[in-house]
Amino acid sequence: MTSLALETDETLLIGKIAFLVLLYLFILYVVRSATKGMAQAPQESIVLGAAEANALRAQHGLAPARLLVLASTELGRGRTIEVAAPTVVGRDAASGIRLEHDEFVSARHARIEPRPEGAMVDDLGSTNGTFVNGTKLERAQLAKVGDVIRIGATELQVQA
Amino acid sequence: MNARRRELFGLVLAGLIASVALATVTLARDAEISPDVVTWGALFLGLYVVAHVVIRRTAPNADGALLPLTAVLTAFGVTTIYRLDPGDGGRQAVWIAAGVAALAGTLLWFRHDYRVLESYRYLFGVGAVALLLLPSLPGLGETVNGARLWVDLGVIQFQPGELAKICLILFLAGYLREKRESLARGQLKDVGPLLAIWGAAMLVIVVTNDLGSALLNFGIFLAMLYVATGRALFVAAGLTLFLGGAAVLYNAIGHVQDRVTIWLQPWTDEPVYCSLTGELALRQDCASYQLVKSLYSIANGGFGGTGLGQGTFTSVDGSQLIPYLRTDFIFSAIAQELGLVGAAAVLLVFMLFVVRGMRVALQADDGFSKLLAAGLTFGFALQTFIIVGGVLRVVPLTGITLPFVSYGGTSIVANFVLLALLLLVSNRANEPR
Amino acid sequence: MNPQIVRLTYVALILVAVLVLMTTYWQTWAAASLAERQDNSIRRVAEFSIDRGLIFSFEPRKRLARNRQRAIDGRTLFFRRYPYGPLAAHVVGYSTVGRSRTGLERSLNDFLTASNSSLSTVFDKTLDELRGKPVQGNDVVTTLDLDAQEVANEALGANCGAVVALDPRTGKLLVMASSPGFDPNLVEENFGQIEQITADCTPAAPLVNRASAGLYVPGSTFKVVTAAAALESKRYTPDSTFVDPGYCTVYGKRVNNFDTSRPFGTIDLTNALAYSVNSVFCNIGKKLGAKKILDTAKRFGFYEKPPLETPSDERLASGLYDNGRLFYPKVDANVDAGRMAFGQERVLVTALQNAMVAGAIGVGGRLMEPHVVNRIVAPGGKVIERQRPRLIRRAVSKKTADAVADMMRLAVERGTGTAAQISGYAIGGKTGTGETGVPGSNITWFIAFAGEDEDRPPELAIAVVLQNQSGTGGTTAAPIAREVMQAILQGTENP
């Protein structure tokens, strides 16, 4: 009886240790797979700073997207803007493409990212919306060569 | 599909953890490992594999860690509950199955675009307030432990607070995405609805006596307001308003006052008036009985814990030493049996869930999705903080559930819906385009 | 929105990190102090899974407390049994689930449950835990003489009172009996039976250890202290003579001798103590002043709880009491020194304290620290604590002590304490009768020291106190003291 009880006690201890080991293995596993996933994260992440993300993108050899200004109250018409990294369009001074005096443009209106096939356009929750070929964006959308992006009174056409 | 493979592997690990835990518990109780453990372990894993398959079909690009993390948390919950009361453990397993069904349902329903939810934002707003006030309706509500948190529909009882939280987050995500520009500019006309929300939070405290739920929902509101506008001033103003309101209510409502007194001074050396019996008693034997006993339980765990199934929760005559152990105080049960090593691991799992959830918010590419994911994740974290913090005497103790761990159907199902929404947002954010 | 989300993530993570930190706090730093709290029922129940250390008497070696194993819900629990029932219940105390602990069971709980911080205990305990075995506590060997303890209990009978006997040379406690007693085996499940215990006093309060927590009017036994104070003051010698008119006038009122019919006339200090003449001590008291006498009392250990291993709230300090509080006068005028000098006024003394006084007088003024634990033994047999004799202080000079000892011997030889004589032993003693003013409710005392002859330090000191007596100390308490002394002296002689 006592030897049996002792065995039970020892098995209990093994169970306890096995449980904890498995638990921490699991945690380690999730942490590791998380950092793996991070490398593939398409956008800013907790781990990668903006500069690092851009460098990563440059490594992959992304050509800048070229945008022709078709109409604008702010930017010179006929001008071509090169977007090499994710760029915010907005009235904010921090914006990469600044449309300061357009009342229909939000502070941080939209983001344009270079893509091999053109530019990825994403509305950042603007009041008046971002349009690609006249359609209001419901979600980030790829604007291919020839497509027209409209933000407020500004129209940009994706160039090859 | 990499994420799905990682998810499956994580689930297998989680299933193993659940089986070992269950085996240890049965061994401690019956001095032998019941063969049923294998069946139960397989059932547990099978349930999550079903969820996994549904995710594969409906949200193949979703984050691969959230489901395994959930699985581990529910494994903690269900084994602890089973250890305290085998019958309740079985019921909790059924609730987890119901949760997985709710997860699958939500995923299938919104597999094309969950963002239609945004159109119903005001409906959700009204729904949230209604759900929160529901328990205080005469004939429906039931007072448990000084607060009215339950609704009795005759057939089933449920705690609408958990659902209200999700409704509120859906409302705020939609509303704030729409108004964030003008709010950030500080236009007064948009402040009205916000003050209304503050008023509603105060009303909830007054009507239901539920300090925890008010704190949780108001915290979620402030967090989402900050994410939407980036104005820390709003948060400061909101906190001031809340604390101001709470201070006024503190003096007006005895229940709130009791909670704070218990929090600040759980032990007294001299007998004080005990409102439960109407006699003089030491506070640790009266009002703060629950908190103090739960602290003793945690302390008894020490560094390594007593071992699964070997903690002390009942007196030698079988009577319960700690009240509400399966729900509000489940953390103190876990902390005693697993010790600091195990309790810290549970909290680490919660942390990882938060990190993954916030990552979903970062990856999402539209305002509604970002706000939704951030709100859901922060709500999850804040709820954990309020209940575990209450048990650990960091904040006044209020009765809310520990997500995925506490016993209770509404809580489990609601949190699986929360998980489904996070997975949907994550799936959309990671869709190759 | 991303910068905000990142910041919010940090806030959320900090919230959870605070929880980790607080869990750490409660489970490590605060754990020990929480474990000690009286209302910690979890710890108390958890401790029942520890193979609690046993408690032994010294002579003969018997188990006063042992364990009975019971399996409940798959756990082996250890419950206490007390084979000798009420015999040493007040010292040993009890350890129960429902009613906490008392006595050594409470004060030595850390040792008995192996949660003391002694290095070898910590090592053994960790090993037990690692092997998954029930933790084994440390055993306690007390200094109690079980046979004499039994004699004391029987001699007390239905009386309310206490007997304390100790070895004044070392402080070793031999007997600590309190009446009415109780059976500690009944505490857990049949507490009602203990509540129904009646005795010759109300309340019967069987759980109170009257030996160390019962405060009684010392009556004439306090004259020993007064005599010592008188000699220490150098204003008196044993031969100082007094004229006894049969009474003493304090604040204009007469205080009579016990026997008013027969004034002693001219009498010296030695005979005044032997025959317990109130008027003499009353006048000494008035001359010396209350503070001087109380200061000598302090030297004997008054005004502090006697150091013993039992829980500190089961011991009370002797001294002047005012409205239930220990009180030391700022000026002499606060106290009626005349009445105090022969043990009336508001002086209250425990039996333990009085045994210490008698002992210190017997061994030439050296006040030894009383102790009831001889040693604490780890499960392997290794002694982890051993009690050694410790001098508290020299209470009075050897000359004073020896002089008072002579007076006390005279009291037994032909004075008030003749009932305590044992042939072949040199015994010095002092009777005391504390009058409460109600007939049949006197407090009677006898304190004594005893040894083989006058030249060697006595091997035992004793104090017997009885409540609700109609006789005097000499007729009620002295015979009990005699029985117990005989048991101890002859028990050690013929083992």
Side-chain angles (χ1 to χ4, degrees):
Chain A
M1 182 58 210
T2 44
S3 74
L4 182 77
L6 207 76
E7 273 168 40
T8 304
D9 288 336
E10 272 160 6
T11 323
L12 272 178
L13 186 75
I14 292 165
K16 176 178 158 184
I17 291 171
F19 175 77
L20 285 172
V21 167
L22 273 174
L23 194 58
Y24 276 94
L25 273 180
F26 173 83
I27 289 169
L28 202 70
Y29 172 72
V30 172
V31 170
R32 271 198 51 204
S33 67
T35 45
K36 256 191 220 153
M38 288 292 178
Q40 300 161 355
Q43 276 148 39
E44 297 135 278
S45 68
I46 301 175
V47 176
L48 293 181
E52 287 169 283
N54 286 340
L56 213 74
R57 236 173 245 113
Q59 267 180 14
H60 288 94
L62 257 183
R66 298 172 64 240
L67 304 170
L68 175 67
V69 181
L70 293 182
S72 179
T73 49
E74 314 262 322
L75 310 165
R77 192 190 302 178
R79 201 180 127 191
T80 302
I81 300 165
E82 290 205 343
V83 177
T87 302
V88 173
V89 184
R91 281 193 298 108
D92 216 82
S95 310
I97 299 172
R98 191 171 179 203
L99 303 169
E100 199 181 346
H101 304 293
D102 190 332
E103 276 185 35
F104 294 96
V105 176
S106 300
R108 283 166 57 83
H109 193 113
R111 184 172 51 222
I112 301 176
E113 279 183 58
R115 283 286 188 278
E117 315 86 25
M120 183 63 85
V121 186
D122 183 10
D123 188 274
L124 297 177
S126 67
T127 312
N128 295 304
T130 305
F131 300 81
V132 171
N133 295 338
T135 317
K136 191 174 179 184
L137 288 188
E138 284 295 323
R139 47 181 295 185
Q141 190 180 322
L142 185 70
K144 298 203 177 83
V145 174
D147 288 355
V148 175
I149 304 162
R150 186 169 73 74
I151 295 164
T154 299
E155 290 187 352
L156 304 164
Q157 188 178 44
V158 182
Q159 302 291 298
Chain B
M1 289 309 273
N2 226 343
R4 296 283 74 74
R5 230 178 299 135
R6 281 202 301 274
E7 181 174 87
L8 190 59
F9 186 73
L11 288 177
V12 171
L13 264 181
L16 214 58
I17 290 172
S19 306
V20 170
L22 200 60
T24 318
V25 167
T26 56
L27 179 67
R29 196 187 46 206
D30 309 324
E32 59 174 17
I33 299 176
S34 149
D36 292 347
V37 167
V38 182
T39 321
W40 282 105
L43 268 176
F44 183 82
L45 183 59
L47 203 55
Y48 276 97
V49 169
V50 168
H52 169 75
V53 170
V54 173
I55 293 171
R56 249 175 208 272
R57 287 290 153 79
T58 54
N61 302 298
D63 186 287
L66 286 170
L67 189 68
L69 288 168
T70 304
V72 165
L73 289 179
T74 50
F76 269 122
V78 76
T79 42
T80 307
I81 293 162
Y82 174 78
R83 179 251 176 279
L84 296 172
D85 183 337
D88 284 342
R91 277 184 282 280
Q92 178 81 343
V94 172
W95 284 120
I96 293 172
V100 169
L103 173 93
T106 313
L107 287 173
L108 286 167
W109 189 283
F110 298 108
R111 64 185 179 280
H112 297 302
D113 196 352
Y114 59 90
R115 293 192 307 171
V116 294
L117 289 168
E118 189 177 354
S119 335
Y120 303 111
R121 54 188 176 275
Y122 290 106
L123 198 64
F124 283 121
V126 174
V129 175
L131 280 170
L132 281 174
L133 296 180
L134 207 55
S136 50
L137 289 182
L140 270 181
E142 206 182 314
T143 304
V144 173
N145 207 8
R148 294 177 77 98
L149 303 174
W150 287 83
V151 171
D152 194 344
L153 293 180
V155 192
I156 53 162
Q157 289 185 320
F158 80 109
Q159 247 182 318
E162 302 277 345
L163 293 172
K165 179 184 75 180
I166 294 177
C167 285
L168 179 79
I169 294 168
L170 281 166
F171 159 70
L172 285 173
Y175 180 79
L176 289 170
R177 194 210 63 79
E178 186 189 354
K179 303 285 186 195
R180 55 185 290 250
E181 290 290 328
S182 51
L183 279 174
R185 254 179 271 137
Q187 285 185 3
L188 277 178
K189 68 178 168 67
D190 294 311
V191 176
L194 299 185
L195 281 176
I197 294 170
W198 171 75
M202 291 299 132
L203 189 69
V204 167
I205 303 185
V206 175
V207 176
T208 65
N209 270 345
D210 187 2
L211 192 63
S213 165
L215 190 67
L216 172 64
N217 289 314
F218 201 71
I220 291 171
F221 161 62
L222 287 183
M224 290 178 75
L225 185 64
Y226 172 70
V227 171
T229 62
R231 300 281 293 267
L233 189 69
F234 286 175
V235 179
L239 272 179
T240 315
L241 268 178
F242 184 82
L243 291 177
V248 171
L249 293 179
Y250 169 81
N251 289 317
I253 303 178
H255 178 72
V256 177
Q257 210 164 353
D258 288 347
R259 291 280 156 134
V260 174
T261 317
I262 290 166
W263 173 52
L264 292 175
Q265 279 187 312
W267 286 282
T268 54
D269 295 328
E270 301 288 330
V272 291
Y273 176 74
C274 173
S275 56
L276 301 178
T277 59
E279 288 166 12
L280 288 180
L282 295 175
R283 192 170 294 137
Q284 57 264 39
D285 295 333
C286 174
S288 59
Y289 176 82
Q290 302 174 5
L291 175 66
V292 164
K293 288 289 180 288
S294 128
L295 285 177
Y296 291 153
S297 167
I298 294 168
N300 196 40
F303 182 77
T306 57
L308 278 168
Q310 295 162 280
T312 304
F313 303 113
T314 50
S315 190
V316 286
D317 58 3
S319 60
Q320 287 291 328
L321 291 170
I322 311 160
Y324 299 100
L325 198 52
R326 299 160 308 155
T327 51
D328 297 2
F329 291 105
I330 194 155
F331 183 78
S332 50
I334 294 175
Q336 187 186 155
E337 296 213 321
L338 296 180
L340 182 56
V341 235
V346 178
L347 294 173
L348 269 177
V349 173
F350 275 103
M351 272 181 158
L352 285 175
F353 193 97
V354 169
V355 168
R356 301 304 289 199
M358 286 298 189
R359 211 172 75 108
V360 170
L362 284 170
Q363 289 171 338
D365 46 22
D366 64 293
F368 175 69
S369 304
K370 275 185 181 303
L371 283 166
L372 181 60
L376 291 173
T377 311
F378 187 76
F380 178 85
L382 189 60
Q383 185 167 347
T384 306
F385 177 76
I386 291 173
I387 181 59
V388 180
V391 169
L392 293 171
R393 232 189 115 202
V394 181
V395 290
L397 179 67
T398 53
I400 53 178
T401 57
L402 184 57
F404 294 123
V405 182
S406 287
Y407 177 74
T410 330
S411 166
I412 290 283
V413 170
N415 280 303
F416 269 100
V417 171
L418 181 151
L419 172 69
L421 291 173
L422 275 179
L423 288 170
L424 284 167
V425 175
S426 172
N427 178 52
R428 216 184 98 81
N430 289 324
E431 254 171 18
R433 10 185 133 90
Chain C
M1 284 188 248
N2 280 3
Q4 287 98 295
I5 294 177
V6 171
R7 268 175 232 140
L8 190 65
T9 308
Y10 286 133
V11 171
L13 288 181
I14 287 169
L15 288 182
V16 185
V18 166
L19 301 180
V20 177
L21 216 69
M22 281 309 282
T23 310
T24 313
Y25 169 75
W26 289 117
Q27 299 202 301
T28 54
W29 282 291
S33 65
L34 285 190
E36 276 170 22
R37 295 202 70 100
Q38 274 291 299
D39 60 320
N40 190 341
S41 47
I42 288 167
R43 178 83 202 140
R44 207 155 66 216
V45 174
E47 275 171 355
F48 281 85
S49 59
I50 294 170
D51 191 357
R52 201 172 168 83
L54 308 178
I55 299 177
F56 293 94
S57 58
F58 192 76
E59 265 287 334
R61 186 69 45 89
K62 298 283 183 198
R63 286 190 294 186
L64 299 179
R66 61 177 184 83
N67 294 319
R68 197 166 59 181
Q69 282 190 35
R70 233 160 63 193
I72 291 179
D73 286 340
R75 284 190 298 165
T76 309
L77 298 182
F78 298 86
F79 296 96
R80 272 309 211 205
R81 297 302 298 167
Y82 302 94
Y84 290 89
L87 198 46
H90 292 102
V91 182
V92 172
Y94 52 79
S95 169
T96 64
V97 181
R99 301 205 160 256
S100 190
R101 305 193 175 94
T102 59
L104 294 179
E105 291 273 36
R106 176 159 145 226
S107 52
L108 297 181
N109 189 48
D110 276 0
F111 286 105
L112 293 166
T113 59
S115 39
N116 54 306
S117 52
S118 136
L119 207 59
S120 66
T121 303
V122 171
F123 182 76
D124 286 346
K125 188 185 171 193
T126 314
L127 215 62
D128 279 347
E129 276 173 352
L130 279 180
R131 279 185 302 212
K133 270 174 50 177
V135 173
Q136 246 188 309
N138 300 308
D139 293 343
V140 171
V141 179
T142 64
T143 57
L144 293 178
D145 179 333
L146 207 59
D147 292 337
Q149 179 84 22
E150 195 172 356
V151 170
N153 272 338
E154 271 169 24
L156 281 170
N159 289 309
C160 292
V163 176
V164 173
L166 47 81
D167 183 334
R169 301 165 299 182
T170 58
K172 213 170 90 165
L173 211 64
L174 304 170
V175 171
M176 189 173 225
S178 173
S179 177
F182 67 99
D183 184 349
N185 295 309
L186 297 177
V187 173
E188 185 88 273
E189 274 151 11
N190 294 304
F191 195 73
Q193 268 174 267
I194 291 175
E195 281 173 327
Q196 282 161 18
I197 290 173
T198 51
D200 292 347
C201 55
T202 42
L207 295 176
V208 173
N209 185 357
R210 286 176 160 78
S212 59
L215 285 169
Y216 298 102
V217 179
S220 301
T221 60
F222 195 71
K223 286 173 187 162
V224 173
V225 175
T226 306
L231 296 180
E232 288 284 280
S233 75
K234 311 273 191 239
R235 289 159 74 173
Y236 299 94
T237 65
D239 305 321
S240 302
T241 51
F242 304 85
V243 177
D244 170 36
Y247 59 88
C248 161
T249 314
V250 257
Y251 300 123
K253 280 189 182 164
R254 275 190 180 189
V255 177
N256 294 328
N257 286 347
F258 190 79
D259 187 354
T260 43
S261 60
R262 190 164 62 99
F264 286 90
T266 304
I267 190 168
D268 63 7
L269 184 57
T270 303
N271 280 294
L273 189 101
Y275 294 100
S276 204
V277 182
N278 284 352
S279 72
V280 171
F281 286 89
C282 176
N283 286 320
I284 293 175
K286 287 196 321 197
K287 285 260 171 53
L288 290 178
K291 285 172 78 172
K292 198 130 209 165
I293 298 170
L294 287 175
D295 286 346
T296 303
K298 272 186 175 177
R299 305 281 307 162
F300 280 105
F302 284 65
Y303 285 94
E304 53 191 317
K305 289 185 176 182
L308 198 70
E309 294 89 340
T310 55
S312 80
D313 58 7
E314 294 175 22
R315 285 176 278 132
L316 290 176
S318 305
L320 265 180
Y321 274 79
D322 189 46
N323 285 325
R325 289 241 178 99
L326 200 57
F327 149 82
Y328 183 82
K330 286 201 181 69
V331 287
D332 277 330
N334 288 353
V335 182
D336 176 352
R339 290 164 55 86
M340 192 191 82
F342 57 89
Q344 296 293 333
E345 245 289 18
R346 290 159 289 176
V347 187
L348 294 173
V349 182
T350 64
L352 176 60
Q353 175 62 63
N354 244 350
M356 287 163 70
V357 170
I361 293 293
V363 295
R366 291 161 56 86
L367 185 70
M368 300 303 290
E369 193 175 296
H371 60 263
V372 72
V373 173
N374 176 265
R375 57 183 183 269
I376 294 169
V377 187
K382 186 171 176 285
V383 174
I384 48 178
E385 295 259 319
R386 186 186 290 277
Q387 192 63 261
R388 291 178 200 289
R390 263 201 293 267
L391 179 74
I392 297 179
R393 68 179 76 84
R394 174 168 279 286
V396 288
S397 69
K398 181 156 184 2
K399 198 178 154 207
T400 301
D402 287 348
V404 178
D406 283 338
M407 300 178 196
M408 286 169 74
R409 282 194 202 96
L410 196 67
V412 173
E413 207 175 292
R414 57 169 199 247
T416 51
T418 47
Q421 288 170 2
I422 303 173
S423 67
Y425 292 96
I427 295 172
K430 181 75 200 79
T431 55
T433 308
E435 286 170 84
T436 50
V438 182
S441 64
N442 288 344
I443 306 283
T444 62
W445 282 93
F446 189 72
I447 66 173
F449 54 83
E452 279 176 30
D453 59 60
E454 288 180 25
D455 303 325
R456 269 189 285 175
E459 51 205 81
L460 87 89
I462 192 169
V464 176
V465 64
L466 301 172
Q467 285 173 249
N468 289 1
Q469 299 297 310
S470 32
T472 63
T475 59
T476 58
I480 293 176
R482 180 179 181 282
E483 272 187 71
V484 178
M485 286 194 290
Q486 199 157 24
I488 295 171
L489 294 168
Q490 288 166 357
T492 48
E493 218 171 50
N494 326 304

